[in-house]
Amino acid sequence: MSKKIKNIILVTILGITTIIIVMNVVYNQSHVNVSEVSPDITLLSQDLLNDFENNELEANSKYLDKIIEVNGIISNISTNKNKGIITLSDKDAMGGVICHLSSEEHTKIMSLKKGQNIKIKGLCTGYLMDVILVKCIIIN
Amino acid sequence: MKTTYILLLCFLFTCLLQGQERFLTKQGYTSFFSSSPVEDIKADNNQVLSIIDTSTGAIAISILMKSFLFEKSLMQEHFNENYVESDTYPKATFKGKIDEINKLGNSEETITIKGDLTIHGVTRSIKTQAKITKSQDNISLKGSFPVNVSDYNIKIPAVVINNIAKTIEVTFELDHKPYKN
């Protein structure tokens, strides 16, 4: 009889511990690591911008929360709070694709020049005047 | 002859002034903070678009909900999918007016901003104080205001009611530069 009670207690404790561990793992789930994940979509920065300019609703459902690799020409390089920001756009275009680099990529922006062609991978969060990619990684 | 000169000069001046009427930032900062006995939740957004027209004092701000980055990915997921439903309502906007923007000097001053804030498809008029510093090539706005979650029809499930504050503190820092066309 007492053995049975002991068993029940043991199983309950084990059960509770497992639940706590699982909950913790789920709760502390890490963010997507852009550098380790291959892109969902690869395209030219101008095509990405055109898609948003033509039909924002459709583009939202196509690109939001996706990891996108864009190829384009650097029109501006700046930093904000120690994070690099690279704008890709064609000469005459109003808008562009603004890539907010992840903090590990900061040292790389020193070697970049305006007018240069670049490949960048990032997470698309939407379109304001420009398409915005965050957590970007420079590919080359 | 003199009047022509004066007219020409006036014309020139208005042209010059018009060139600096609009101030813009594409990397404004907004964060929100929820403090509850169970946990503190904070999210940052560094991609805020804000435009000020200094001739009228009008200000327009657009914020992408998905640009709010959280410490924990699960919080971010819940925020986007369950609370603000960012697939349906991808943006929050503010359209308002800064009173007496042209009377400002170069030092930091406190001003009142009034306007309509739209979050989660619900528009409410708000009024807040902000610190403004205005110069020839910069307008900086800083401030914070409370947002009642229930005002914007955002439903918090009973299970996490103690984890999320009923009033969220929204902070903004917008550094506008003259807009070149």
Side-chain angles (χ1 to χ4, degrees), chain A residues 42-92:
Chain A
T42 304
L43 76 176
L44 292 174
S45 67
Q46 200 54 42
D47 291 340
L48 180 64
L49 179 67
N50 286 344
D51 277 0
F52 272 99
E53 278 176 346
N54 292 337
N55 189 342
E56 199 182 333
L57 268 177
E58 202 177 279
N60 274 342
S61 58
K62 193 171 163 190
Y63 297 115
L64 291 199
D65 287 332
K66 297 273 164 49
I67 293 178
I68 296 170
E69 185 181 309
V70 288
N71 203 329
I73 294 160
I74 302 176
S75 65
N76 196 29
I77 305 166
S78 66
T79 51
N80 183 27
K81 293 178 185 157
N82 289 321
K83 283 189 179 178
I85 303 166
I86 294 174
T87 310
L88 308 176
S89 66
D90 281 6
K91 268 177 207 153
D92 309 315

Side-chain angles (χ1 to χ4, degrees), chain A residues 26-31 56 64-65 80-81 85 94 98 100 125-130 132 134, chain B residues 24 26-27 29 39 46-47 49 62 64 66-67 69-77 90-91 179:
Chain A
V26 172
Y27 180 73
N28 287 317
Q29 225 170 38
S30 61
H31 286 279
E56 199 182 333
L64 291 199
D65 287 332
N80 183 27
K81 293 178 185 157
I85 303 166
M94 264 281 285
I98 299 184
H100 289 252
T125 62
Y127 171 75
L128 293 169
M129 275 170 80
D130 312 83
I132 290 169
V134 298
Chain B
L24 166 143
K26 291 178 178 179
Q27 50 223 226
Y29 169 76
E39 60 185 342
N46 278 302
Q47 286 89 37
L49 172 71
S62 291
L64 290 171
K66 284 187 194 286
S67 273
L69 303 182
F70 292 69
E71 187 202 335
K72 297 201 189 306
S73 80
L74 193 69
M75 288 175 181
Q76 196 163 322
E77 201 182 303
K91 288 173 195 172
Y179 182 52

Side-chain angles (χ1 to χ4, degrees), chain B residues 76-87:
Chain B
Q76 196 163 322
E77 201 182 303
H78 286 171
F79 171 76
N80 281 303
E81 286 176 10
N82 306 340
Y83 307 148
V84 296
E85 298 173 89
S86 57
D87 282 325

Side-chain angles (χ1 to χ4, degrees), chain A residues 3 9 12 35 51 65 96 104 127 133-134:
Chain A
K3 211 177 180 186
I9 292 173
T12 326
S35 62
D51 277 0
D65 287 332
E104 309 88 74
Y127 171 75
L133 302 183
V134 298

